[in-house]
Amino acid sequence: FFFIGHSRRVFMGSLGVIDTGVIDTFGAEIVDASEPLEPSFEIQTGSAQIVLKGEDAYGSRKLVLESSDELHVTFVCDGHGGAAAAQLCADKLLPILIEEARGDGSTASLQRAATRACARLHAEARAASTAGSTLTCIIVHPGRREVTAFNLGDSAAWMVPRDGSAATLLAEDHRLDTSEAERERVIALGGRLAHARGLSGEPGGPLRLWPGGGVGGAAQARVLGDSRLGDFVDATPAVTSLKLPRCGADFLVCSDGVWDALPAEAVLATVRGMMRSPVTLAASAIVESALNQRHAYDCDGYRRPRDDTTALLLRVRRSDEAEVLPAGGCLGCS
């Protein structure tokens, strides 16, 4: 059930190159008389996954646009109702992002590309099957010291600065059970929300949308695909851009196999405690912790996961970190 690994492929397109290398190094020096010299960064990626249904898909790649902008991208797709939508997203997200960026790596262009890419993936997923998928994607632009994040669904992502300062949540939670905005949107469209009922007739589990027509309940409707939910689905992603700390950061993206098992505080503590460990080892520790916690009170089938569980870690580390982080504190971070 346990996988740790990477692949390497290169795609050529009319608007750029997708380099799927697992560890990339980028150095950027921007000289401005009015600004301090920007640091150079090393980029590392690691992943770990435990498979139950095979509905999680993920990737970490370096993209190079015509404008010479270098982007480091990591993403998780958590499928439901089958693996088709998640796999389609994993296969096509990066080529579509490059195409929609149209050779422009500016902040506005990347945000537009994210929204357009989700719309295209949504249409293709609906045409291909009834399956649906979440999508959470992080795009790091080291040269501009900026990160753009976008998401649909509940696969959370965090930015954890390497100086020990507060982490930043980079994804919205679109579950109907926890998102008031989503509940209001679905109700305004005429959707019926209720908890499922067990054999006893008592309600239980998360709040769900019941679209009618014999279709089962759905815990979220801000996703890709899911044609069975009709017009209740909204594939417009939450998009945000913010500055990358000068001290660098670790970016964590996980499927709900992690977040349903562990509180965010515990996961972030693992990230902070393993910042000097290999990234793949850190991702592995998170997935193992999720597996262990889900079986803390149930030893039956201990190594059998209760859900697909995926963790990706994108590490943006200063090349001179040994000098600026001698004791876990970043000198001159802003």
Side-chain angles (χ1 to χ4, degrees), residues 105-227:
S106 67
T107 305
S109 173
L110 293 179
Q111 291 187 349
R112 285 193 300 269
T115 301
R116 290 169 177 164
C118 286
R120 288 177 57 178
L121 290 168
H122 177 58
E124 291 196 31
R126 285 201 151 193
S129 76
T130 60
S133 180
T134 72
L135 168 61
T136 299
C137 181
I138 305 296
I139 305 173
V140 174
H141 191 309
R144 196 165 56 237
R145 200 158 57 84
E146 183 180 86
V147 57
T148 294
F150 63 95
N151 83 288
L152 290 161
D154 61 356
S155 300
W158 289 83
M159 179 176 74
V160 188
R162 292 182 65 78
D163 65 347
S165 57
T168 300
L169 180 63
L170 299 176
E172 290 185 1
D173 183 0
H174 294 147
R175 290 185 183 185
L176 292 165
D177 208 38
T178 52
S179 172
E180 182 178 357
E182 273 300 286
R183 290 195 297 271
E184 291 177 351
R185 181 185 69 80
V186 169
I187 290 172
L189 293 172
R192 183 174 73 88
L193 302 180
H195 296 275
R197 293 185 179 274
L199 295 177
S200 66
E202 294 297 316
L207 191 65
R208 294 179 179 273
L209 163 66
W210 301 89
V215 176
Q220 49 196 327
R222 192 90 173 267
V223 292
L224 297 170
D226 247 338
S227 58

Side-chain angles (χ1 to χ4, degrees), residues 18-167:
I18 303 175
D19 180 354
T20 67
V22 299
I23 297 182
D24 304 299
T25 302
F26 177 83
E29 293 187 345
I30 303 174
V31 179
D32 187 321
S34 62
E35 296 290 338
L37 188 68
E38 289 287 353
S40 64
F41 294 104
E42 297 173 354
I43 314 295
Q44 299 174 327
T45 62
S47 63
Q49 183 179 69
I50 295 175
V51 176
L52 176 63
K53 297 175 289 184
E55 293 179 338
D56 279 7
Y58 65 95
S60 289
R61 308 288 187 264
K62 180 175 72 175
L63 312 184
V64 183
L65 304 182
E66 273 191 342
S67 58
S68 297
D69 288 280
E70 293 194 14
L71 311 174
H72 295 264
V73 184
T74 193
F75 64 88
V76 165
C77 312
D78 184 352
H80 49 269
Q87 193 57 58
L88 182 147
C89 180
D91 290 341
K92 296 192 174 185
L93 172 62
L94 300 183
I96 290 176
L97 270 178
I98 282 188
E99 185 175 335
E100 292 296 343
R102 301 175 185 178
D104 179 3
S106 67
T107 305
S109 173
L110 293 179
Q111 291 187 349
R112 285 193 300 269
T115 301
R116 290 169 177 164
C118 286
R120 288 177 57 178
L121 290 168
H122 177 58
E124 291 196 31
R126 285 201 151 193
S129 76
T130 60
S133 180
T134 72
L135 168 61
T136 299
C137 181
I138 305 296
I139 305 173
V140 174
H141 191 309
R144 196 165 56 237
R145 200 158 57 84
E146 183 180 86
V147 57
T148 294
F150 63 95
N151 83 288
L152 290 161
D154 61 356
S155 300
W158 289 83
M159 179 176 74
V160 188
R162 292 182 65 78
D163 65 347
S165 57

Side-chain angles (χ1 to χ4, degrees), residues 158 160 167 252 258-259 261-273 286:
W158 289 83
V160 188
L252 179 68
V258 169
W259 306 117
L262 299 168
E265 294 79 7
V267 178
L268 297 177
T270 299
V271 174
R272 292 191 181 98
I286 292 168

